[in-house]
Each structure stands twice: as structure tokens, then as C-alpha cells.
Amino acid sequence: MTRDADCLFCKIVDGQVPATIVRRSERSIAFRDIAPQAPTHVLVIPKEHYVNVAALAAEAPETLTEVVREASAVAADEGIEAFRLVFNTGVQAGQSVFHVHAHVLGGRDMTWPPG
Ligand code: AMP
């Protein structure tokens, strides 16, 4: 299993940092964002450490598929038909945790383009 000892989300996978986990699959977990930006704001991450979605797509495309499938399942679990799926990639795009995560956002009206 690929791990980064200093990575916050690896610590959540390992149970060293608490999180409200809402789904688990073979290769992913989903947990509530600590600072929710919408009524539903869940992060879906692979259990293995990849820095961003580009690395995940290149190195483990089947895991990326599973992350997206789980994100869709989170929306269904939450009873929301519409949701936004966001992979912030790079500092300028707003990425602050460098373990790839899909933000599942929904439950309110949203605007476009995002800020
Ligand atoms: P990003 O800015 O796209 O890298 O997203 C990182 C997200 O992780 C932010 O929305 C944070 O609120 C969230 N976050 C940071 N620490 C935790 C934590 N311990 N548990 C749950 N979510 C967290």
C-alpha cells in the first residue's frame, strides 16, 4: 500500500486521525469535509497515496473509476440528484491537501463559473 507518513489523509485512512466516514470500498473511503461548503460535502479518496487526480489517472485508472463511482454512490446515499464533483489540482486551483480527493458537493443551488 502506497503511503506518505506525513499525509493527513493517509492518517485518516489508517485511523490515526478521526473522520466521519460515510462509505468504504475496496480501494477508497468517503468522509465528511471538516469545513463543509454545502449541505452535502463529502471527500472521496483512494486508500493509497497519489498527490492529485492526474497522478491517479496515470498510475491507477481503475482506482480513479472506483473513486468516481463511490462519489456517485455518496450522492445517492445523501438523496441528492444534482452534485458537483471537484478535484482541485495544484495550489493555484485551491488544492491544500496533496492526497487526491474528490469533493462531492450538493444540496444547494450553485453558480458557475466557480471563484
Ligand atoms: P483541497 O483544498 O481541495 O485540497 O481540499 C481539502 C479539503 O480537506 C478542504 O475542503 C478541507 O476542509 C478538508 N479537510 C482538511 N482537514 C480535514 C479533516 N481532518 N477532515 C476532513 N476534511 C478535512
Side-chain angles (χ1 to χ4, degrees):
M1 190 68 85
T2 312
R3 284 280 193 279
D4 177 339
D6 296 324
C7 170
L8 171 64
F9 287 179
C10 285
K11 291 177 182 170
I12 288 177
V13 171
D14 287 341
Q16 296 170 31
V17 169
T20 304
I21 294 174
V22 296
R23 285 188 69 86
R24 294 178 189 274
S25 69
E26 183 184 348
R27 286 174 283 207
S28 77
I29 63 168
F31 53 93
R32 296 203 186 279
D33 195 290
I34 202 167
Q37 302 300 310
T40 291
H41 189 174
V42 170
L43 304 176
V44 186
I45 69 170
K47 292 176 182 171
E48 295 209 42
H49 183 88
Y50 300 91
V51 290
N52 60 35
V53 71
L56 180 60
E59 296 169 36
E62 68 292 342
T63 302
L64 175 57
T65 299
E66 189 166 318
V67 166
V68 173
R69 193 165 53 235
E70 286 295 298
S72 178
V74 165
D77 290 348
E78 300 274 314
I80 53 174
E81 289 180 9
F83 62 93
R84 187 169 287 178
L85 189 60
V86 176
F87 292 93
N88 293 326
T89 305
V91 172
Q92 191 177 22
Q95 187 175 5
S96 61
V97 178
F98 291 86
H99 179 133
V100 59
H101 47 283
H103 294 259
V104 184
L105 294 148
R108 64 166 170 80
D109 293 338
M110 293 190 187
T111 58
W112 192 263

